Amino acid sequence: MYVILVYDVSEKRVVKMLKLCRRYLNWIQNSVFEGQITEVKLKELMHEAREIMDEAQDSIIIFSSRNERWLDKQIIGVEKNNLDNFL
Amino acid sequence: MYVILVYDVSEKRVVKMLKLCRRYLNWIQNSVFEGQITEVKLKELMHEAREIMDEAQDSIIIFSSRNERWLDKQIIGVEKNNLDNFL
């Protein structure tokens, strides 16, 4: 399964959330991740995310598609992905 | 065409970018938008976005799919969309 994950999390919890998401997916922008993931791993990720976030304040949106080819991706401006290895 | 747009723009340009994107798409989270849009309108939006952004610093990622049904969406936590009318 191919997913796009975006989070909007209070600054206090951002570092934890970033680290969590990077364990499962590729970081492509600020608070945006993408990647292939199994349903089991995605459930694991969502379970861990719920433990970090405050569900009354924060939010996570996950778009998923069975096939990555059903989605096109265009980037305008900087490709943050290139910096990924340095952080 | 169904698109998901995420931007990462310097604070100075955020308000302009937010206003622009909301003219074309639905705001669903912090810097994330989605919606049905024609290719012509999407080009128009990207053209206007390029005028606002600094392409050396900012970035916009647009995922597009011919069919919205090819994508599932799950939200954990707050649904910002509900506040959209008040802003």
Side-chain angles (χ1 to χ4, degrees):
Chain A
M1 190 166 49
Y2 170 77
V3 306
I4 300 162
L5 182 154
V6 287
Y7 62 64
D8 181 7
V9 159
S10 163
E11 232 175 288
K12 289 168 266 172
R13 296 179 283 271
V14 158
V15 175
K16 268 194 177 175
M17 194 58 89
L18 178 73
K19 280 186 184 165
L20 169 66
C21 294
R22 289 183 66 180
R23 267 175 35 221
Y24 291 88
L25 298 165
N26 306 311
W27 187 39
I28 54 168
Q29 195 196 69
N30 207 5
S31 52
V32 187
F33 298 78
E34 67 167 358
Q36 290 289 344
I37 189 169
T38 63
E39 283 198 41
V40 173
K41 284 285 171 191
L42 181 58
K43 275 191 185 150
E44 219 177 272
L45 165 57
M46 287 166 69
H47 177 76
E48 289 186 65
R50 279 205 170 92
E51 290 187 344
I52 293 171
M53 69 196 287
D54 173 348
E55 290 187 47
Q57 277 187 47
D58 306 333
S59 87
I60 292 181
I61 306 176
I62 296 165
F63 298 95
S64 54
S65 178
R66 269 182 300 133
N67 198 327
E68 186 170 353
R69 283 180 304 172
W70 292 343
L71 269 186
D72 273 332
K73 185 171 70 176
Q74 292 176 73
I75 300 176
I76 313 177
V78 195
E79 274 198 64
K80 202 162 222 171
N81 208 9
N82 300 338
L83 303 171
D84 209 12
N85 296 328
F86 301 111
L87 293 162
Chain B
M1 189 167 46
Y2 170 77
V3 306
I4 300 162
L5 182 155
V6 286
Y7 62 64
D8 181 8
V9 159
S10 161
E11 232 175 291
K12 293 166 264 173
R13 298 180 281 272
V14 158
V15 175
K16 271 196 176 173
M17 194 60 90
L18 178 73
K19 278 185 186 166
L20 168 66
C21 293
R22 289 182 66 181
R23 269 175 35 225
Y24 291 88
L25 296 165
N26 307 311
W27 187 40
I28 54 167
Q29 196 195 70
N30 207 4
S31 51
V32 187
F33 298 77
E34 65 166 1
Q36 290 290 340
I37 189 168
T38 63
E39 282 198 41
V40 173
K41 284 283 170 193
L42 181 58
K43 275 190 186 150
E44 218 176 272
L45 164 57
M46 284 165 69
H47 177 76
E48 289 185 65
R50 279 206 171 90
E51 290 187 342
I52 293 171
M53 70 195 287
D54 173 346
E55 290 189 45
Q57 277 187 46
D58 305 334
S59 86
I60 292 183
I61 305 175
I62 296 165
F63 298 94
S64 55
S65 179
R66 270 182 298 134
N67 198 327
E68 185 170 352
R69 282 179 305 168
W70 291 342
L71 269 187
D72 272 332
K73 186 170 69 173
Q74 292 178 73
I75 300 175
I76 313 177
V78 195
E79 274 198 65
K80 202 161 219 169
N81 207 10
N82 300 336
L83 305 170
D84 209 13
N85 296 328
F86 300 108
L87 291 165

